[in-house]
Amino acid sequence: MNIEQILRTPQQLRSKAETDTINTYLTAQLESAIAAADEPNANKWALLSMIFEAQMDYLRVYALFESEEYYAAWCLLERIEIAIKGIFRLYQFVEDEYRIKFIFEYIRKLQSLFPYKVFGSSEYIKEIVRCGICNELVTLRKRCGHVKGQLYMGKMCVHEIEQSHFVGMSIVDVPFNKYSVMGVTSKTDDSYHYPQIEYLMSVIDHPFNEWQTKNYKIFKPHREYQTGRNEKCPCGSSKKYKSCCLTKPGIETDHTDFLLTYPTLKSKLKMNQLKNRK
Amino acid sequence: MELTVKDTEQNMDYWLQRPYLSEATRSIMQAQEVLIVPEEDLREYTTPLFPSNLMVLYDELKQYFKVEAAINDEDYHELSLNSKVHKYGKFVVIAVIVPTFVTVLGNYISDKLKHEDPKDEIQLDITVQGDQGQAKTVHFKGTADNFNKVAEKVKQIAREQEDEHRTDTAHAATTKK
């Protein structure tokens, strides 16, 4: 199996059977290196497995978009982001030979399309921490020598929190833990709308299509709103309508333009449909 | 951005006297160039706390300076706040090594944040201690690209404290004559 060629072409569509075969191959190579106590090779195969998993998870995000499982996609985006930060610590990319830099950039772009603004942030004290490799206690002055984030015989060193003390929760707008979105837990418990993601899916053909967004304000006509002068302005400013957008050409609203680097089949179809309507 | 400077009594001697320290810990804290000091009375927790992942910074600083933390090993706990403000802790630094300290710290922060959102904020306190034990604390909360303002402020304080010491020494020498 030419694993190098496979990893350099993540944009190539593969069946589930092919993906399973690749995963089985990577696992077998890793286990073989571990059995031979060959740490450099074990670490190499572990890293390649991490890269392949990040690529496949990125494709899964779009599958979740297709099935409108947006919150699940959001959580998966965060897991890929964390995994790729770990990959960056382990490997210096020459260019973007495995498209990992591309995926990292586009994770950020996709996250910006979500409507989530408010998150729960847990606060806890790490009381007893152990090394994930040797299970020794980790204290400030006594260490086992294993470094968090490094690979040892194909296994990444993490610090396992054996005992913690929950202190509280905060409501934040810029969270460390992105999964903790207020107001959604699953597809069936989701009051948000995802118009930007829906639009993106209507114009791209493939997860590796290149696109940018441009955000700016537009004025929506006053006639589209039934708001009284003394009611809160529809723009969301909390001011009265008469003191806010009523004095402007329209209701000031966020607008996003999607700019494709290259036209896609879907975008061409959309343009034709618009032309035909006119 | 928050960047404030104030006089403080919390110099190295202050932290050496903290009641929760054992004699063994006090012994290893002596004659350090940098002390990493905890937050006390945070969230009503009874022991002092350090920000998440401070241990990694401790290891990094140990490569360049004589550095210790004002805490017993068994009492070292990190508080994980999980907001996107990257907290780097509180440091007491002797004036003469301040220029090197801010360079090392700046490089560390830059490396840690290279894959993070450039709009993320960082937070830290640096107390500069002069030869006579006089101390000033610089508190900073802002984006990493403003760290240079912290570095400049801290270096300025260190220079002022060194100038004060030279003036005092010269005055003492003149008075002796």
Side-chain angles (χ1 to χ4, degrees):
Chain A
M1 181 178 291
N2 187 344
I3 195 68
E4 190 64 27
Q5 179 62 24
I6 289 166
L7 289 176
R8 284 173 183 261
T9 54
Q11 64 275 18
Q12 202 170 311
L13 292 172
R14 296 189 175 90
S15 66
K16 187 175 182 312
E18 284 173 315
T19 306
D20 288 346
T21 302
I22 296 165
N23 268 323
T24 302
Y25 174 81
L26 286 166
T27 304
Q29 295 300 311
L30 172 59
E31 286 173 351
S32 173
I34 292 170
D38 181 356
E39 186 166 65
N41 262 327
N43 291 347
K44 170 192 145 185
W45 288 109
L47 177 60
L48 292 177
S49 297
M50 288 167 66
I51 289 170
F52 185 65
E53 189 172 350
Q55 292 171 342
M56 292 302 104
D57 279 345
Y58 179 66
L59 297 176
R60 274 186 208 109
V61 167
Y62 287 83
L64 288 168
F65 284 161
E66 292 280 5
S67 60
E68 296 179 2
E69 294 179 71
Y70 297 112
Y71 177 63
W74 171 264
C75 293
L76 184 55
L77 283 170
E78 183 182 21
R79 288 202 295 278
I80 304 168
E81 186 182 11
I82 292 168
I84 290 181
K85 285 179 188 174
I87 292 169
F88 283 152
R89 276 196 289 273
L90 296 168
Y91 184 76
Q92 291 290 330
F93 290 92
V94 177
E95 290 172 350
D96 191 14
E97 50 270 41
Y98 301 123
R99 307 306 302 276
I100 291 298
K101 287 184 185 175
F102 176 97
I103 293 171
F104 193 68
E105 179 190 347
Y106 276 74
I107 282 171
R108 293 274 165 85
K109 286 185 183 180
L110 289 170
Q111 287 171 334
S112 74
L113 300 183
F114 280 76
Y116 306 147
K117 302 283 183 214
V118 183
F119 304 82
S121 174
S122 60
E123 301 173 355
Y124 62 91
I125 295 164
K126 304 175 202 175
E127 292 182 331
I128 298 177
V129 179
R130 289 192 181 274
C131 171
I133 300 293
C134 64
N135 205 38
E136 288 293 310
L137 275 177
V138 176
T139 68
L140 183 66
R141 298 180 180 101
K142 294 190 197 89
R143 311 291 179 77
C144 56
H146 295 119
V147 177
K148 190 165 80 166
Q150 295 300 312
L151 289 172
Y152 298 91
M153 203 54 81
K155 185 176 178 185
M156 181 172 282
C157 177
V158 296
H159 282 178
E160 295 171 356
I161 302 170
E162 184 178 280
Q163 182 176 305
S164 65
H165 177 84
F166 178 74
V167 178
M169 284 284 289
S170 296
I171 307 297
V172 299
D173 56 358
V174 189
F176 187 75
N177 296 128
K178 292 177 183 163
Y179 63 81
S180 57
V181 181
M182 304 298 284
V184 62
T185 56
S186 67
K187 183 177 177 179
T188 51
D189 172 35
D190 186 349
S191 54
Y192 289 93
H193 300 286
Y194 302 87
Q196 294 188 335
I197 298 173
E198 288 164 358
Y199 182 81
L200 176 71
M201 295 301 287
S202 75
V203 296
I204 61 166
D205 298 331
H206 192 280
F208 285 91
N209 285 148
E210 293 177 24
W211 50 271
Q212 310 280 341
T213 53
K214 188 178 163 192
N215 298 314
Y216 52 93
K217 300 280 188 186
I218 59 169
F219 292 111
K220 287 185 137 183
H222 292 288
R223 63 177 179 276
E224 291 183 12
Y225 297 86
Q226 311 300 321
T227 309
R229 289 168 50 83
N230 288 308
E231 288 179 77
K232 283 202 180 151
C233 187
C235 77
S237 68
S238 302
K239 293 182 192 169
K240 284 185 183 176
Y241 189 16
K242 67 182 180 185
S243 306
C244 194
C245 289
L246 196 55
T247 61
K248 299 176 189 172
I251 308 299
E252 204 168 352
T253 311
D254 290 326
H255 181 80
T256 301
D257 272 349
F258 283 83
L259 309 162
L260 295 167
T261 305
Y262 303 103
T264 61
L265 290 173
K266 280 186 185 172
S267 67
K268 285 180 189 170
L269 189 61
K270 219 174 178 69
M271 288 297 294
N272 286 338
Q273 285 171 344
L274 282 170
K275 278 183 196 165
N276 290 340
R277 267 191 222 153
K278 286 178 184 170
Chain B
M1 182 185 83
E2 295 169 22
L3 180 63
T4 59
V5 181
K6 60 178 184 182
D7 290 326
T8 182
E9 289 176 355
Q10 293 184 5
N11 58 11
M12 290 197 178
D13 279 343
Y14 169 89
W15 288 102
L16 271 167
Q17 304 308 317
R18 301 316 289 144
Y20 45 78
L21 297 174
S22 68
E23 285 310 313
T25 302
R26 289 198 179 100
S27 170
I28 62 172
M29 281 170 62
Q30 298 283 351
Q32 299 296 327
E33 294 170 323
V34 179
L35 267 189
I36 305 175
V37 300
E39 288 276 4
E40 296 174 329
D41 303 319
L42 193 62
R43 299 285 196 275
E44 291 133 27
Y45 198 65
T46 52
T47 60
L49 297 168
F50 294 83
S52 194
N53 293 318
L54 184 87
M55 209 183 283
V56 181
L57 177 54
Y58 172 83
D59 290 344
E60 178 74 11
L61 292 174
K62 266 206 170 290
Q63 294 181 56
Y64 299 93
F65 309 107
K66 287 190 257 179
V67 59
E68 261 307 330
I71 195 73
N72 304 324
D73 207 41
E74 61 273 19
D75 294 330
Y76 176 83
H77 296 313
E78 293 178 355
L79 172 63
S80 193
L81 285 177
N82 291 328
S83 72
K84 212 55 186 332
V85 176
H86 302 270
K87 297 194 174 188
Y88 289 99
K90 296 164 62 166
F91 311 89
V92 182
V93 184
I94 60 170
V96 69
I97 60 121
V98 155
T100 316
F101 176 78
V102 292
T103 301
V104 170
L105 183 59
N107 288 341
Y108 175 85
I109 291 171
S110 177
D111 185 62
K112 285 294 167 200
L113 297 185
K114 64 185 173 198
H115 298 303
E116 303 292 340
D117 188 336
K119 294 196 296 286
D120 282 1
E121 288 196 320
I122 66 172
Q123 183 176 314
L124 51 91
D125 285 13
I126 301 175
T127 296
V128 181
Q129 176 172 321
D131 268 353
Q132 310 302 311
Q134 73 278 36
K136 278 190 174 160
T137 297
V138 176
H139 165 79
F140 173 73
K141 184 178 176 188
T143 53
D145 58 359
N146 280 314
F147 179 77
N148 60 317
K149 295 189 170 83
V150 182
E152 287 313 307
K153 180 58 69 178
V154 170
K155 283 193 271 191
Q156 179 194 335
I157 292 169
R159 279 194 299 272
E160 285 167 4
Q161 286 177 342
E162 286 189 291
D163 286 345
E164 265 178 38
H165 173 66
R166 274 196 282 274
T167 304
D168 288 348
T169 308
H171 177 73
T174 310
T175 310
K176 269 187 186 170
K177 284 178 189 172

